């Protein structure tokens, strides 16, 4: 009898709102992809007939699609960014589901409120186009679709600031190490590096950009020394410490006496090494905050497109030597 009464009430609400029973059920069950207009219409109809629905509470969740889990390690860029995302999501009452890019179809089988991309290549990002129409936020990537949001650090300024810091210390032969050579972020870093070198006088050193995806850390270290570089901008997210090991333990060099380095900041490690590393710090906490806010606001306000670029910070420590 109770179920029959409830079914009859749902029919009355549907008739009053002029919508289907399915739409009423989705609103009453707090379905995540119901438009604001539909939700308002159904609830107004319920108030009109004097019915107070008992909502079924479902956990709100964010799918974090992660690239290259095979090289994911404790303390690297993606791990630290994901930790910030989990903290921010929890503060907003959202669960986080982790999905590897090669199992991205799993996101279509869950009622997630949005998707945050972490560490995908441009080829892998294409797979996001087949997901349900929920807010999608790319982190440190340029969006392929106008409906997607993005939040990035200023990769051009990362390359520029690191190279300029070394140039101001008197270095002219500066190498740049990147994870790979193709992709929006690495190309922006390379552009910042090249622009600083081009402005140097005398300009007698050709840019030396070395990819960590095709060269071993020891091969990179040897190439840096072969070109008589006195400094290295080490902006690799995945192979940074391996390169430092090859320079010091592999080739027996001393930092900064033999080679000056500027690396990407790892707040748990960089300041505790000997010497303490001069670094470029991305605002990971703020990147995570904005990415999650895009999902929260998109879910509440049907707002799906937002783009923000954040500045990096150069942290000067002890790994850069001042040349005469």
């Amino acid at each position: 009898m109770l179920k029959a009464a409830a079914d009859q009430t749902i029919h009355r609400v549907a008739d009053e709102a002029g919508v289907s029973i399915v739409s009423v059920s989705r609103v009453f069950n707090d379905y995540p992809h119901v438009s604001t207009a539909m939700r308002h219409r159904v609830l107004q109809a319920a108030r009109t007939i004097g019915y107070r629905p008992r909502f079924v509470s479902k956990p709100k969740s964010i799918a974090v699609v992660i690239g290259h889990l095979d090289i994911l390690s404790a303390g690297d860029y993606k791990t630290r960014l994901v930790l910030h995302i989990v903290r921010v999501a929890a503060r907003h009452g959202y669960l986080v589901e982790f999905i590897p890019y090669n199992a991205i179809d799993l996101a279509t089988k869950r009622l997630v409120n949005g998707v945050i991309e972490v560490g995908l290549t441009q080829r892998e990002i294409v797979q996001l186009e087949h997901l349900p129409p929920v807010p999608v936020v790319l982190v440190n990537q340029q969006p392929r679709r106008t409906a997607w949001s993005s939040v990035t650090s200023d990769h051009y300024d990362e390359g520029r600031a690191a190279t300029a810091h070394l140039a101001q210390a008197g270095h002219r032969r500066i190498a740049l190490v990147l994870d790979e050579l193709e992709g929006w972020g690495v190309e922006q870093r390379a552009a910042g590096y090249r622009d600083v070198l081009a402005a140097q006088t005398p300009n007698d050193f050709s840019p030396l950009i070395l990819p960590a995806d095709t060269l071993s850390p020891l091969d990179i270290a040897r190439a840096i020394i072969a070109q008589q570089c006195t400094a290295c901008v080490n902006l690799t997210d995945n192979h940074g410490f391996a390169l430092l090991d090859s320079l010091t333990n592999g080739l027996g060099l001393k930092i900064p006496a033999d080679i000056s380095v500027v690396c990407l900041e790892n707040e748990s490690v960089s300041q505790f090494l000997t010497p303490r590393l001069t670094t470029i710090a991305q605002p990971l906490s703020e990147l995570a905050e904005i990415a999650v806010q895009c999902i929260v606001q998109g879910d509440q306000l049907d707002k799906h497109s937002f783009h923000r670029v954040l500045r990096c910070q150069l942290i000067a420590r002890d790994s850069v030597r001042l040349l005469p």
Side-chain angles (χ1 to χ4, degrees), residues 39-227:
R39 194 178 304 276
H40 176 78
R41 185 173 180 177
V42 170
L43 294 180
Q44 181 60 47
R47 283 193 290 269
T48 298
I49 69 170
Y51 176 66
R52 293 184 178 181
R54 180 180 179 182
F55 290 98
V56 177
S57 178
K58 294 183 178 180
K60 296 184 177 182
S61 64
I62 296 173
V64 176
V65 180
I66 306 177
H68 304 286
L69 285 172
D70 54 326
I71 57 175
L72 191 67
S73 60
D76 69 2
Y77 153 77
K78 286 184 289 188
T79 304
R80 290 180 290 127
L81 176 59
V82 164
L83 179 59
H84 285 294
I85 290 173
V86 170
R87 288 171 175 167
V88 177
R91 196 164 66 246
H92 287 280
Y94 281 70
L95 302 177
V96 175
E97 298 185 16
F98 299 106
I99 301 175
Y101 81 92
N102 55 356
I104 203 168
D105 60 305
L106 292 176
T108 67
K109 300 175 183 178
R110 305 292 183 93
L111 295 178
V112 298
N113 297 77
V115 174
I116 297 177
E117 169 276 335
V118 174
L120 300 185
T121 66
Q122 288 298 310
R123 176 181 58 82
E124 294 159 355
I125 286 176
V126 174
Q127 299 180 66
L128 296 178
E129 297 177 357
H130 307 297
L131 295 181
V134 296
V136 174
V137 184
L138 307 187
V139 180
N140 282 331
Q141 297 277 6
Q142 290 296 285
R144 295 172 56 91
R145 300 179 62 179
T146 56
W148 292 353
S149 296
S150 68
V151 54
T152 74
S153 60
D154 190 336
H155 283 53
Y156 174 87
D157 197 54
E158 291 169 6
R160 183 208 62 78
T163 311
H165 182 73
L166 290 166
Q168 290 165 5
H171 296 273
R172 293 294 178 265
R173 304 183 72 84
I174 305 169
L176 172 65
V177 183
L178 300 170
D179 284 308
E180 59 267 328
L181 297 182
E182 295 183 356
W184 173 82
V186 292
E187 290 171 8
Q188 287 290 304
R189 286 172 173 170
Y193 160 80
R194 286 194 182 96
D195 285 351
V196 173
L197 291 187
Q200 289 191 141
T201 304
N203 189 356
D204 57 354
F205 176 73
S206 298
L208 177 63
I209 304 178
L210 301 164
D213 63 336
T214 57
L215 296 174
S216 72
L218 188 56
D219 287 338
I220 292 173
R222 286 170 174 160
I224 291 171
I225 299 308
Q227 293 298 315

